Amino acid sequence: MGELKIHAEAVDLKKALGRVAEYTFDMDLTWDWPGGVAYYGVSRAFEVTGEQAYLGRMVAWVDEYIEAGLPGWTVNTCAMGHMLITLYEHTKDEKYAELIHSKLDYLENHALRFGDRVLQHTVSAGNDFPEQAWADTLFMAAYFMLRAGIMFDKKHLVNDALHQFFWHINYLQDENDGLWYHGYNHIKKDHMSGIYWARANAWAAYTMSRAAKILPEGYLYPPMMHIWSSLRDQLAAIKKLQKEDGLWGTVLDYPEAYGEVSATAGIAAAMVTQGNPLHAKHVQKALDGLLANISDNGRVLNVSGGTAVMNDIAGYLGIDRKWAQGWGQGLALAFLAALIDNEKSNVKN
């Protein structure tokens, strides 16, 4: 894996990361996927900077939430498991391990599945989206299972996580042009509105790049070959659709779509993690675009609101982007953290 040459001082990246993290801590987040993505980003910020204040504030937030009472598990609430992995790794407090195992038990034994044991995307206790696969599930559940399987040395979790990647690739990626649809309906055997939504592509690209990076001896797992090829073809297609300001449109193949910052951050973070030197110019443009959309107080701007699989392109273009969102903060932090990691590798070499 190569290193990318990016024109950004590590100290400036850390300052931007610090501003975004501070704003994130002050948000009124709950134990659901917005908080899960946000605090995943904070966890990555802690991992690359070693800033103990981040760890302390994450511990305080989680402990207060545990005392107040946690919700039931869904695919989306399992996103909070990412921060729990970081907390357990660095504190060894068993209460975090117990919560991780509780989420894993839900995903393995109780979560709705269809077809060849593919996780159905769930956002509540109800059967909201029968036999639907969404790209979002890769971040909220499959990548979490993979991280937990590696940490606890549980090969069946690693295999199940890679199984989810395998089938989500088959269901959601167009093998002819490399781009990902937002969702797949197994009952109707279609992609519903058939939109190449940018954040769906970010969920896929980012988690596949991380899977390829963190799994020891990944080449020994046959599904990993599927992931590597999928990611290669996806990024080859996506890079051609970047706008002049460095952002990717919220609908990737629709030139008039507004530039969406959370998707841009996730896609660019995947490029950094994959390490193809020829992606450096696209990462540089994306970084410039991101920095232009971080306010002085650390709020990430131009992030689209929560988005179901909409009926048509107008539905995607009409999603509001006025407010700060946990996923915008978290993916921005993930991108900046990937760049800091990349800078460290450049210094070592």
Side-chain angles (χ1 to χ4, degrees), residues 316-328:
Y316 286 92
L317 300 180
I319 298 293
D320 183 77
R321 53 196 161 106
K322 179 179 177 64
W323 305 102
Q325 304 289 358
W327 50 92

Side-chain angles (χ1 to χ4, degrees), residues 112-120 131-132 163-164 167 171 184 186-187 189:
L112 293 172
R113 297 193 180 214
F114 65 89
D116 195 358
R117 286 189 51 76
V118 179
L119 283 168
Q120 176 178 309
E131 296 195 30
Q132 289 186 21
H163 181 83
Q164 299 308 316
W167 280 103
Y171 285 147
Y184 171 78
H186 189 59
I187 297 172
K189 303 292 192 294

Side-chain angles (χ1 to χ4, degrees), residues 285-314:
K285 286 178 65 175
L287 175 60
D288 295 341
L290 172 68
L291 294 177
N293 280 283
I294 298 176
S295 67
D296 290 343
N297 68 351
R299 175 186 168 201
V300 180
L301 309 175
N302 286 308
V303 174
S304 64
T307 308
V309 180
M310 307 301 283
N311 290 326
D312 50 36
I313 193 170

Side-chain angles (χ1 to χ4, degrees), residues 7-81:
H7 301 296
E9 294 291 334
V11 64
D12 294 333
L13 292 172
K14 287 181 180 178
K15 285 182 179 177
L17 181 143
R19 295 207 320 272
V20 176
E22 285 299 318
Y23 188 96
T24 306
F25 278 122
D26 287 339
M27 292 179 72
D28 221 6
L29 296 164
T30 62
W31 199 282
D32 203 349
W33 74 276
V37 182
Y39 280 110
Y40 169 79
V42 172
S43 299
R44 289 289 295 132
F46 165 67
E47 290 165 0
V48 301
T49 65
E51 179 57 64
Q52 292 298 308
Y54 295 163
L55 182 65
R57 292 181 74 175
M58 286 190 287
V59 165
W61 188 88
V62 169
D63 288 356
E64 184 176 4
Y65 220 112
I66 291 172
E67 186 176 345
L70 300 179
W73 301 152
T74 65
V75 161
N76 271 354
T77 57
C78 283
M80 292 302 306

Side-chain angles (χ1 to χ4, degrees), residues 160-340:
D160 195 2
L162 295 179
H163 181 83
Q164 299 308 316
F165 277 99
F166 180 90
W167 280 103
H168 279 75
I169 290 168
N170 285 352
Y171 285 147
L172 295 174
Q173 186 172 24
D174 187 324
E175 64 184 76
N176 294 314
D177 62 22
L179 299 176
W180 280 57
Y181 298 102
H182 187 177
Y184 171 78
N185 186 318
H186 189 59
I187 297 172
K188 296 184 177 180
K189 303 292 192 294
D190 65 17
H191 296 105
M192 295 171 274
S193 54
I195 300 296
Y196 293 142
W197 183 47
R199 197 156 59 234
N201 279 264
W203 296 134
Y206 182 73
T207 55
M208 288 193 294
S209 72
R210 292 296 297 174
K213 182 181 179 68
I214 68 174
L215 181 60
E217 298 184 316
Y219 52 85
L220 295 178
Y221 296 83
M224 187 56 73
M225 314 306 156
H226 203 45
I227 290 172
W228 283 329
S229 298
S230 168
L231 178 62
R232 178 200 64 206
D233 288 1
Q234 183 196 23
L235 293 182
I238 284 177
K239 69 182 184 183
K240 300 172 186 174
L241 301 173
Q242 190 174 24
K243 295 176 177 290
E244 280 305 308
D245 63 1
L247 304 183
W248 275 276
T250 196
V251 176
L252 287 172
D253 59 340
Y254 185 66
E256 288 74 30
Y258 63 80
E260 205 282 327
V261 175
S262 71
T264 296
I267 291 165
M271 289 181 168
V272 176
T273 305
Q274 189 205 38
N276 183 339
L278 298 183
H279 287 162
K281 60 186 178 183
H282 299 285
V283 172
Q284 184 69 59
K285 286 178 65 175
L287 175 60
D288 295 341
L290 172 68
L291 294 177
N293 280 283
I294 298 176
S295 67
D296 290 343
N297 68 351
R299 175 186 168 201
V300 180
L301 309 175
N302 286 308
V303 174
S304 64
T307 308
V309 180
M310 307 301 283
N311 290 326
D312 50 36
I313 193 170
Y316 286 92
L317 300 180
I319 298 293
D320 183 77
R321 53 196 161 106
K322 179 179 177 64
W323 305 102
Q325 304 289 358
W327 50 92
Q329 303 295 123
L331 288 171
L333 289 168
F335 180 26
L336 294 168
L339 288 167
I340 292 170

